[in-house]
Amino acid sequence: MSLASFLRAIPKSELHVHLEGAMRPRTLLALARRRHVDLPADDVAGLRDWFQFRDFDHFVQIYVTCSKVVRDPEDFQLLLRDFAEDQAAENIRYSEVHFTIGTHWLNGVAVDEVLDAMTEAIRAIERHEEVRIRLIPDIVRDVGDKTADRTLEWALAAHKAGIAVALGLTGRESLYPSEPFAEHFAEAARQGLHCVAHAGEHAGPGAVHSVLDACLAERIGHGVRAIEDDGLIARLRDGRVPLEVCPTSNLCLGLAPELARHPFDALRRAGLELSVNSDDPALFNTTLSEELRKVGEAWDYPPEILANLALAGFEHSFLRADEKRAAIERARAEMRELALVHLDRELAI
């Protein structure tokens, strides 16, 4: 029994995780063989080595390859089942999952059939496991002029089907602006979808201001470079706009040389609302429990702070207000019980 086992056992919610970036190496291998897609390795061990992060271009190469092998509706159901099993193993009860439907559309996938298949899979998962999944279809800045309209249409259809909660924005913020997609997000909001956006990762505070203004962003994916702008810190704090922080991802992409020099603690002490997330767990060889543990070790946080960071995943989610209250109260009660088992003490939360 230890802090690590406590963090693995407690109920959690994850708000920044990419479905394609969570693909298991053995699933990639099986789908690549089925599709006759060449990979740099022909066994799981070799693929795990290939997954080891080198630089951003390497990351993009892996991500594109993972997307290329997913072709049939059944492939997307397999991804969801694998993802649900991995979340269940971490006791992650609720996940809001980024999904780049536009990339699959460009690859010639029948995305309407994918919607039906994913709806069926998500509903089946909820019937048989204590795991709930909702999607965030993403517009990708880099190719948004080709896919933005189709992504919005798919997101609205998925929202109507009950499996999507938000429209997202991803891609290279330092090279491609957010403003061209303002009307897409305005329409999403009019139709009842929430709005989220990646920003403040590769680009500075201006990119965060941009998605707040142009994309009506209610949560910021990453957002850690907000620390460079006191005015932005005040705007995020006063507006209670949460940041979805992904520590290992940030380190791999060069935002900080080590976790102790990451701005997470400074952002927390500035009064911002933060959650901890894994981003692309398969590609960065991490889990949500590991992310919480690393954050705790970097700043010597007590279990109470880490438990509250886990609860923030529920608090910042797009669950209905009554569902959110129930999930938080249940999780808090379970955390107190688990602290007695794993930490041999009471938890003051």
Side-chain angles (χ1 to χ4, degrees):
M1 299 297 101
S2 63
L3 179 60
S5 67
F6 171 72
L7 293 173
R8 184 175 175 85
I10 60 174
K12 295 176 284 292
S13 173
E14 186 157 31
L15 305 179
H16 192 117
V17 57
H18 294 262
L19 184 61
E20 296 91 342
M23 184 184 294
R24 297 170 176 174
R26 68 173 180 268
T27 299
L28 173 59
L29 184 62
L31 291 176
R33 286 172 175 170
R34 187 183 306 171
R35 305 286 169 239
H36 304 290
V37 174
D38 290 332
L39 297 175
D42 59 2
D43 58 24
V44 170
L47 286 180
R48 289 191 188 281
D49 289 341
W50 182 54
F51 272 21
Q52 296 301 307
F53 188 85
R54 299 171 195 161
D55 52 38
F56 187 69
D57 288 341
H58 178 237
F59 166 77
V60 171
Q61 179 189 8
I62 298 172
Y63 202 93
V64 168
T65 301
C66 290
S67 298
K68 189 183 299 184
V69 301
V70 186
R71 304 289 301 178
D72 293 338
E74 294 80 8
D75 299 342
F76 292 88
Q77 291 182 322
L78 173 61
L79 281 191
L80 284 168
R81 288 195 299 270
D82 283 355
F83 178 80
E85 288 179 5
D86 291 341
Q87 298 297 86
E90 288 280 302
N91 202 13
I92 300 172
R93 304 278 178 81
Y94 177 72
S95 303
E96 293 180 355
V97 185
H98 288 273
F99 175 57
T100 52
I101 186 62
T103 299
H104 302 293
W105 179 62
L106 288 177
N107 287 340
V109 171
V111 294
D112 292 337
E113 294 179 10
V114 168
L115 174 58
D116 293 339
M118 296 184 84
T119 301
E120 179 183 321
I122 288 171
R123 290 175 179 169
I125 288 164
E126 291 180 14
R127 285 195 300 269
H128 296 103
E129 299 185 49
E130 196 171 13
V131 173
R132 190 172 179 186
I133 297 169
R134 291 296 178 268
L135 300 179
I136 301 177
D138 284 321
I139 294 172
V140 182
R141 290 178 176 94
D142 308 46
V143 293
D145 58 333
K146 300 177 183 176
T147 63
D149 291 351
R150 193 67 184 93
T151 299
L152 174 60
E153 291 170 7
W154 198 91
L156 291 172
H159 178 55
K160 186 176 181 180
I163 65 166
V165 291
L167 181 67
L169 183 66
T170 186
R172 290 179 287 184
E173 55 176 328
S174 57
L175 298 178
Y176 299 92
S178 304
E179 284 76 10
F181 312 108
E183 185 51 39
H184 295 86
F185 282 88
E187 181 61 21
R190 284 192 289 267
Q191 296 288 338
L193 274 173
H194 294 281
C195 301
V196 301
H198 289 54
E201 181 188 19
H202 298 289
V208 180
H209 281 294
S210 174
V211 297
L212 291 170
D213 294 333
C215 303
L216 312 174
E218 299 166 66
R219 286 198 319 249
I220 305 296
H222 302 293
V224 294
R225 291 189 61 183
I227 199 65
E228 301 168 18
D229 182 342
D230 290 342
L232 178 56
I233 291 289
R235 183 180 184 184
L236 294 169
R237 182 178 58 239
D238 295 346
R240 300 194 64 187
V241 180
L243 304 186
E244 309 153 0
V245 185
C246 310
T248 295
S249 171
N250 291 165
L251 295 187
C252 287
L253 295 178
L255 270 69
E258 59 182 352
L259 193 52
R261 295 169 65 183
H262 187 282
F264 185 94
D265 189 60
L267 292 164
R268 191 184 73 85
R269 293 183 182 279
L272 269 60
E273 300 193 25
L274 311 176
S275 64
V276 177
N277 304 271
S278 67
D279 200 1
D280 299 283
L283 304 191
F284 295 125
N285 191 30
T286 191
T287 65
L288 181 53
S289 301
E290 274 294 289
E291 295 298 281
L292 287 165
R293 183 190 63 79
K294 291 173 184 177
V295 164
E297 288 184 353
W299 293 286
D300 198 24
Y301 289 159
E304 281 78 6
I305 288 180
L306 297 174
N308 280 316
L309 286 170
L311 289 173
F314 293 103
E315 179 61 37
H316 302 163
S317 75
F318 295 133
L319 286 166
R320 291 199 322 261
D322 59 329
E323 294 177 322
K324 187 181 297 189
R325 285 193 300 270
I328 290 171
E329 288 310 307
R330 179 184 174 188
R332 183 179 284 118
E334 291 185 33
M335 288 175 177
R336 288 170 176 158
E337 294 178 0
L338 289 164
L340 297 174
V341 175
H342 291 265
L343 305 175
D344 195 28
R345 72 169 180 82
E346 294 185 352
L347 191 69
I349 60 170

